[in-house]
Amino acid sequence: MEWRRLSVVLLSVVFVLGFVFGALAQEGASELEIQTANAAFEAADKGNPDPAWKGQKLTIAVYSAGPRGAISGPLYFWRPYFEKLTGATYDIVEIPFGELREKIFTDLMTGTGTYDIIVGPSWFYGDYIMNDWIVPAQEFFNDPRMPKWEPESIALPVRELYMWGDKLVGFNNDHDGQVIYYRRDILSDPKWQEEFKKEKGKDMPTPPWTWEEVYEICDFFNGKDWNGDGEPDYGISMHLKVGGQGFFHFMALSAPYVVSPAPGDDPAKVTRYHNVYWFDPETMEPLVNTPGFVEALNMLIRLSKTGPSAMFGWSLGEAWDAFLRGKAVMCWSWGDVGSLAQLPDRSVIQGKLGVAPIPGSDKYYDLETQQWVHKKNFVANTVGASWHGVISKYCKNKELAAYFLSWQATPQINHWNVVWGWTGVDPGTSYDFLQPSGKATIEEYVATGYDAEDARQFVTAYEEMWTKYPLRQTYLRIPGTPEMWEVYDIHLSEAVTGQVSPEEALNRIAEDWKAIVERYGKDTLKKIYQEAIGYKPE
């Protein structure tokens, strides 16, 4: 039976598969979770575990979210299966987000080797590579002990995050990117469509495909009682508190204003002026204060006026909750929103969710000509962490570490993590995407509690963004990235809250980034930056 049949067919036969882990159910896990996990385990490739691994132990560093939290949760859930499979085990060391860089980098810099495996964010790669701190996943591909997984199944923009040059470095796990979420029931309601046309003089775009359309919709609905609770409701929900990860959302919004297609047969080719977002790859001059960013920041400020003033103090969860509780007609964020919308204790909008790829823009700024091009532009993003495992070069049993990460990367195990949204593992592979272009079925999602149409829109939005959008935003993977993003966050907030103009805020970011580049060494960072974005000087 093929792995992908994790629906009602597998559920009906799971108890005759001969290797049932009902007794291993973790605290808080439902019977259905255990049943589908058993089915995934049976279907997944298990390689050939080495008997010498029995009794050995690994230590895994991971973002701190607990046994049922995002990213750390699956490590707890699958540990009994791993112990039964190999006779080995692992300790889980949870590290708060704000301490991840310091604790992990200190361990690597000192060669202490406390952590064998690091399930970390993609922006650590520049430091990993520059310091030769990790062992590439690719080195274990031909080891017959390893479970077989499918790197080619990962959507290309995400797969490139796991790579450096032409070498696969990390193991498949999470697939972060942002899409737009909206109330499907409200935007398709003839009453509101008619009201929108009266007020705006045009049909309401459903779904919205550009940020200009997003703004028009949010501006229209803001202040109206569109949910029927007798109180004014909001257009959009955002989290604008410093330290709340809001800067990631500005990255996704700004990309189509900033990233321009290359001339010729390959519009996605990275040149000095095209398909670049962060720095001029020849000079390491920041691009953050160029006209595309200014236009995008002005759009963010306009959008912020279509939601509650409380957003300026909201963190991520509060912004999600406003949308999930039915108080905002729209938000944009990671895949968590699609899965959280299905939880009755968190959401009132199951069966009402609309999802579309991240919007584009009506125009973009061409860095080469220094002119605006008035043409729609669509740019895929991979903003966020895309949390995934790498092996420390100080790991004392690299093969056992590679076995664990390979097993977790198999289609069956990884897809189980995706389908059960509490894991924090977002969709991004061909076995998450729906047939006929992908391998998954709606029944797999419905079996775990999704509304069928919600699931269809959710998964399809990611597939369309990552496989059909012509351009994609490059990812910042150089030493100093966390510091750069910290000042990015602070100065963006200064503009959104009206403390300074958008131009001044972006100039401040540019000056701070220049100082960070100089401190790390411009020539060193330029080489790593060029490698990270795939730029080849001509």
Side-chain angles (χ1 to χ4, degrees):
M1 182 174 289
E2 292 182 342
W3 71 266
R4 60 183 68 101
R5 297 177 186 171
L6 297 180
S7 58
V8 292
V9 176
L10 270 176
L11 295 181
S12 67
V13 300
V14 68
F15 290 106
V16 300
L17 289 174
F19 195 81
V20 178
F21 283 90
L24 299 176
Q26 290 73 29
E27 183 178 354
S30 69
E31 180 179 350
L32 185 59
E33 287 174 8
I34 296 298
Q35 290 176 358
T36 52
N38 291 342
F41 177 85
E42 287 297 335
D45 185 56
K46 301 172 186 62
N48 298 286
D50 192 327
W53 292 338
K54 186 175 182 179
Q56 297 192 25
K57 182 184 286 188
L58 299 168
T59 299
I60 304 176
V62 66
Y63 164 63
S64 178
R68 293 286 292 182
I71 307 303
S72 59
L75 297 179
Y76 288 94
F77 184 90
W78 290 106
R79 182 161 55 184
Y81 294 80
F82 178 72
E83 292 171 346
K84 188 74 175 179
L85 185 60
T86 64
T89 190
Y90 52 82
D91 289 332
I92 301 166
V93 179
E94 296 191 47
I95 304 174
F97 184 84
E99 300 174 18
L100 274 169
R101 181 176 180 272
E102 179 185 355
K103 290 193 173 181
I104 289 171
F105 286 10
T106 297
D107 185 68
L108 293 168
M109 283 189 292
T110 59
T112 305
T114 303
Y115 314 121
D116 299 299
I117 293 171
I118 300 160
V119 180
S122 300
W123 61 81
F124 283 179
Y125 264 55
D127 293 274
Y128 289 158
I129 299 301
M130 184 177 75
N131 295 287
D132 190 29
W133 279 339
I134 58 176
V135 182
Q138 199 159 315
E139 293 189 9
F140 302 95
F141 280 179
N142 295 324
D143 188 327
R145 293 171 292 183
M146 301 299 151
K148 303 300 180 188
W149 54 289
E150 303 174 2
E152 68 282 358
S153 70
I154 308 170
L156 182 60
V158 185
R159 185 164 77 243
E160 289 179 342
L161 290 184
Y162 289 32
M163 301 180 70
W164 197 271
D166 59 358
K167 183 175 289 187
L168 191 68
V169 176
F171 293 79
N172 182 37
N173 186 47
D174 182 31
H175 321 99
D176 275 341
Q178 295 194 350
V179 293
I180 190 88
Y181 297 92
Y182 62 94
R183 285 291 297 274
R184 186 174 78 242
D185 58 326
I186 302 299
L187 268 63
S188 63
D189 187 329
K191 168 194 168 184
W192 292 115
Q193 290 179 339
E194 181 179 352
E195 289 295 320
F196 182 92
K197 190 166 186 176
K198 286 181 181 178
E199 185 173 316
K200 299 292 185 180
K202 62 175 74 172
D203 292 333
M204 180 157 53
T206 307
W209 284 102
T210 67
W211 289 110
E212 289 76 14
E213 292 176 345
V214 169
Y215 171 74
E216 286 183 331
I217 292 172
C218 292
D219 180 60
F220 168 75
F221 280 107
N222 188 47
K224 294 181 173 67
D225 179 21
W226 48 262
N227 67 7
D229 66 355
E231 298 179 356
D233 302 305
Y234 305 112
I236 204 158
S237 177
M238 298 188 288
H239 56 295
L240 299 171
K241 179 181 179 180
V242 172
Q245 302 185 61
F247 64 92
F248 283 123
H249 292 63
F250 180 66
M251 291 179 197
L253 183 155
S254 58
Y257 295 98
V258 175
V259 177
S260 61
D265 296 333
D266 183 8
K269 180 181 179 181
V270 178
T271 76
R272 181 178 181 180
Y273 301 107
H274 306 99
N275 296 293
V276 291
Y277 179 86
W278 301 100
F279 295 94
D280 181 324
E282 288 290 343
T283 66
M284 288 302 291
E285 278 290 307
L287 301 176
V288 70
N289 55 350
T290 53
F293 280 97
V294 176
E295 183 74 12
L297 186 49
N298 277 308
M299 174 58 75
L300 182 69
I301 292 169
R302 291 170 68 198
L303 281 169
S304 73
K305 299 181 187 305
T306 70
S309 59
M311 294 193 305
F312 297 108
W314 280 356
S315 56
L316 185 59
E318 292 164 303
W320 285 348
D321 284 343
F323 178 71
L324 296 171
R325 292 196 317 269
K327 292 297 292 180
V329 81
M330 201 171 293
C331 75
W332 79 95
S333 198
W334 292 291
D336 307 72
V337 175
S339 54
L340 290 172
Q342 310 308 306
L343 303 180
D345 62 341
R346 189 79 183 266
S347 164
V348 299
I349 65 170
Q350 186 181 36
K352 304 173 182 178
L353 184 67
V355 195
I358 200 72
S361 59
D362 281 341
K363 61 181 180 179
Y364 61 88
Y365 187 76
D366 189 310
L367 290 167
E368 184 172 28
T369 64
Q370 299 186 20
Q371 298 288 329
W372 283 100
V373 178
H374 292 269
K375 181 179 179 181
K376 284 183 169 54
N377 196 35
F378 297 95
V379 181
N381 72 83
T382 52
V383 300
S386 288
W387 303 92
H388 64 280
V390 296
I391 300 172
S392 166
K393 78 171 184 179
Y394 302 108
C395 174
K396 298 176 180 62
N397 195 331
K398 297 178 178 62
E399 290 76 16
L400 178 59
Y403 181 92
F404 171 74
L405 291 173
S406 298
W407 172 63
Q408 284 289 290
T410 57
Q412 298 82 358
I413 304 297
N414 183 239
H415 184 59
W416 187 95
N417 288 338
V418 166
V419 171
W420 289 98
W422 61 266
T423 65
V425 179
D426 292 337
T429 69
S430 61
Y431 46 82
D432 300 324
F433 302 148
L434 299 174
Q435 298 175 359
S437 56
K439 300 177 182 178
T441 66
I442 280 292
E443 288 76 17
E444 290 169 21
Y445 289 91
V446 171
T448 59
Y450 278 79
D451 172 82
E453 185 57 26
D454 287 1
R456 189 185 313 279
Q457 295 217 8
F458 171 49
V459 177
T460 300
Y462 275 100
E463 180 186 12
E464 289 183 350
M465 179 177 73
W466 281 331
T467 66
K468 296 182 180 179
Y469 270 21
L471 308 179
R472 55 184 178 272
Q473 182 182 19
T474 55
Y475 194 95
L476 192 60
R477 299 186 297 169
I478 62 176
T481 293
E483 297 169 69
M484 292 179 187
W485 285 355
E486 182 178 350
V487 298
Y488 193 53
D489 189 22
I490 291 169
H491 295 315
L492 287 175
S493 178
E494 292 170 348
V496 174
T497 56
Q499 299 175 58
V500 300
S501 69
E503 292 83 358
E504 175 61 22
L506 297 171
N507 284 334
R508 291 180 180 186
I509 295 169
E511 289 304 311
D512 286 345
W513 284 7
K514 288 177 185 178
I516 294 169
V517 168
E518 290 297 330
R519 190 168 74 249
Y520 276 85
K522 182 181 292 187
D523 290 340
T524 298
L525 288 193
K526 183 170 77 170
K527 180 177 183 298
I528 295 173
Y529 179 65
Q530 289 178 352
E531 290 176 356
I533 67 173
Y535 173 73
K536 297 179 181 179
E538 296 182 355

